Amino acid sequence: LNKNNKLLIKSKELTDIITKEKFLQKLISYGINLQQLILRGSTSLEEHLNQHNEVDIMLDTLNVSGCTTTCQCLYMGVPIITNKGNSMLMRHGEQFLKIIQLEDWIANSADDYIEIVKKQTQNIQNLQLIKNTLRQKVLNSSMGNGEVFAKQFEILLKSIK
């Protein structure tokens, strides 16, 4: 993180004070500056969605990509950096980003992931443009529009011989 960035980590486990303290100590041991860290536990769905207004970019987990969380982020105008997956559990984010044509946010390796983070956090104007148009892209795609999904699914079924 550069000095202007903050890292928000949200998990229901962080609602427990002991777990939160142990997690904080682990992050401190990695040299994370606590002034740049925001830890949150469980919230209501409304609070959860509203908290997306505090986030510029979501970092997908490395072993299993998000599904519902990813869709919520994209709908709320928060782009996500994800990894190219080699199993169904690892391909959710990749597929969602392909649907809305954000392929350059998909990493092929851990090093690539870091490079994408650097690139996307340095171009603030492009990031703001993406954030401003993301919800409409979702709503116009098969992710957010049932008619589009049905038509694409119909075409797929007709192509099966």
Side-chain angles (χ1 to χ4, degrees):
L1 296 174
N2 74 38
K3 65 181 179 173
N4 296 317
N5 295 125
K6 293 193 184 249
L7 179 64
L8 185 150
I9 300 173
K10 184 173 181 187
S11 172
K12 66 181 178 183
E13 288 78 13
L14 293 174
T15 305
D16 178 71
I17 300 296
I18 295 170
T19 301
K20 186 175 184 176
E21 185 57 37
K22 285 181 181 179
F23 188 64
L24 271 172
Q25 293 308 313
K26 189 70 158 172
L27 292 173
I28 290 168
S29 77
Y30 290 127
I32 301 291
N33 178 350
L34 295 184
Q35 300 300 315
Q36 292 180 271
L37 189 62
I38 302 166
L39 298 180
R40 299 227 174 105
S42 290
T43 59
S44 69
L45 178 59
E46 182 179 357
E47 274 183 283
H48 171 72
L49 292 174
N50 284 332
Q51 287 174 353
H52 287 83
N53 295 320
E54 301 174 50
V55 177
D56 290 319
I57 296 173
M58 179 181 153
L59 304 176
D60 205 356
T61 54
L62 299 176
N63 295 329
V64 177
S65 78
C67 188
T68 303
T69 305
T70 300
C71 290
Q72 289 170 338
C73 281
L74 296 172
Y75 178 78
M76 293 303 293
V78 179
I80 179 170
I81 298 172
T82 193
N83 286 290
K84 190 174 213 62
N86 60 8
S87 71
M88 186 186 85
L89 292 176
M90 292 181 66
R91 285 195 292 265
H92 292 117
E94 176 185 356
Q95 293 307 311
F96 294 141
L97 290 178
K98 285 181 177 180
I99 289 170
I100 57 172
Q101 298 157 347
L102 287 179
E103 290 93 346
D104 56 334
W105 291 69
I106 303 168
N108 293 309
S109 67
D111 289 338
D112 192 29
Y113 191 98
I114 293 167
E115 289 306 312
I116 292 171
V117 170
K118 289 178 184 177
K119 176 186 171 197
Q120 299 301 351
T121 56
Q122 290 173 354
N123 190 343
I124 302 302
Q125 287 179 323
N126 185 58
L127 178 59
Q128 195 58 54
L129 177 65
I130 289 169
K131 290 176 67 61
N132 290 341
T133 59
L134 198 51
R135 179 177 289 181
Q136 199 57 51
K137 284 180 103 169
V138 170
L139 291 174
N140 291 338
S141 75
S142 59
M143 285 174 54
N145 184 314
E147 289 179 23
V148 172
F149 175 82
K151 186 65 179 165
Q152 290 177 353
F153 190 62
E154 176 187 6
I155 291 168
L156 176 67
L157 289 175
K158 286 180 177 179
S159 72
I160 297 171
K161 298 186 185 211

